[in-house]
């Protein structure tokens, strides 16, 4: 729902499902960690008010942006800020991780939707214990998990970008987030993204 608060355009989000309401706490956490987000004008148990992205100084991304190396580098800057903030968290302060979806129920859902994958699902089910053991020892950070042009905003001045729609943001693997972005970008933009992310991460001691 769109509206105005003191002549400032805003978007009001209401969450019918309890699981979707985690986005409210996520916006609060990102704000406290200094990760760039759309300005929050108010929040309650099941609602969130955000400044409209155009009013906040951004424009919606286009599919053409996903082919632009310059945009790829801006995206890298935002993801580096997100992951750097996540690296400061001692505990998993967000009770959500897409890694938790890798279980018997998740595999059963895959098999039900794509019966032709039954042999591969059976193989994956046998590998689950080993995967869980490996994943348990990997460091986690904040991950956005939902890269798409529809969730990307570019500053009008062209100097930065940010992701919004944080209903899938949680604790996960840095590599998974980077792969999610790389697959969503065109070849030159993806290469620029990875190069810039590596440069930024190395500058803060992450390899």
């Amino acid at each position: 729902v769109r509206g105005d608060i003191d002549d400032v355009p805003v978007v009001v989000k209401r969450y019918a499902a309890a699981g979707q309401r985690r986005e409210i706490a996520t916006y609060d956490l990102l704000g406290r960690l200094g990760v760039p987000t759309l300005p929050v004008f108010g929040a309650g148990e099941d609602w969130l008010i955000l400044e409209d992205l155009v009013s906040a100084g951004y424009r919606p991304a286009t599919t053409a942006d996903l082919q632009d190396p310059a945009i790829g580098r801006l995206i890298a800057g935002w993801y580096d800020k997100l992951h750097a903030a996540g690296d400061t968290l001692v505990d998993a302060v967000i009770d959500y991780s897409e890694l938790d979806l890798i279980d018997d129920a998740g595999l059963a859902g895959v098999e039900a939707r794509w019966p032709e994958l039954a042999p591969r699902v059976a193989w994956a089910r046998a590998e689950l214990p080993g995967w869980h053991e490996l994943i348990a020892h990997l460091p986690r950070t904040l991950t956005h998990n939902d890269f798409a042009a529809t969730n990307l905003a570019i500053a009008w001045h062209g100097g930065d970008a940010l992701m919004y729609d944080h209903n899938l943001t949680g604790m996960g693997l840095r590599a998974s987030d980077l792969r999610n972005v790389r697959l969503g970008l065109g070849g030159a933009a993806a290469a620029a993204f990875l190069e810039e992310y590596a440069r930024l991460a190395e500058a803060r001691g992450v390899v």
Side-chain angles (χ1 to χ4, degrees):
V1 178
R2 295 185 178 276
D4 294 89
I5 295 179
D6 295 330
D7 295 325
V8 177
V10 298
V11 175
V12 181
K13 304 183 72 171
R14 293 295 300 268
Y15 303 90
Q20 296 175 335
R21 297 171 190 167
R22 62 175 171 265
E23 185 177 31
I24 301 168
T26 299
Y27 264 98
D28 178 68
L29 175 65
L30 296 178
R32 288 186 282 112
L33 292 173
V35 178
T37 66
L38 295 178
V40 177
F41 273 47
E45 182 178 345
D46 63 352
W47 56 271
L48 180 68
I49 301 177
L50 301 171
E51 184 175 359
D52 178 82
L53 67 88
V54 174
S55 171
Y58 293 85
R59 64 169 176 82
T62 66
T63 53
D65 289 321
L66 304 185
Q67 308 298 321
D68 188 340
I71 299 297
R73 286 188 284 272
L74 295 181
I75 296 168
W78 186 85
Y79 272 88
D80 180 68
K81 292 183 178 71
L82 176 71
H83 296 161
D87 291 345
T88 68
L89 301 177
V90 177
D91 300 309
V93 296
I94 297 181
D95 187 25
Y96 175 78
S97 174
E98 289 203 327
L99 297 175
D100 295 335
L101 302 179
I102 307 175
D103 58 11
D104 283 324
L107 291 176
V110 171
E111 186 172 17
R113 184 171 181 179
W114 296 286
E116 67 275 14
L117 296 180
R120 295 187 180 185
V121 170
W123 171 83
R125 188 171 284 118
E127 297 292 324
L128 268 181
W131 290 349
H132 287 163
E133 175 67 19
L134 175 63
I135 290 172
H137 293 90
L138 294 175
R140 299 190 183 192
T141 188
L142 283 170
T143 52
H144 181 260
N145 301 315
D146 194 18
F147 179 78
T150 51
N151 294 333
L152 173 63
I154 312 296
W156 285 110
H157 57 66
D160 62 70
L162 61 78
M163 301 300 298
Y164 57 99
D165 276 4
H166 289 286
N167 54 342
L168 294 182
T169 297
M171 300 301 293
L173 303 180
R174 185 188 322 274
S176 296
D177 229 13
L178 298 182
R179 181 178 184 274
N180 183 235
V181 178
R182 179 178 61 80
L183 292 177
L185 294 173
F193 165 78
L194 292 175
E195 180 181 2
E196 179 66 2
Y197 183 91
R199 184 186 70 80
L200 293 170
E202 184 177 0
R204 57 185 181 85
V206 176
V207 294

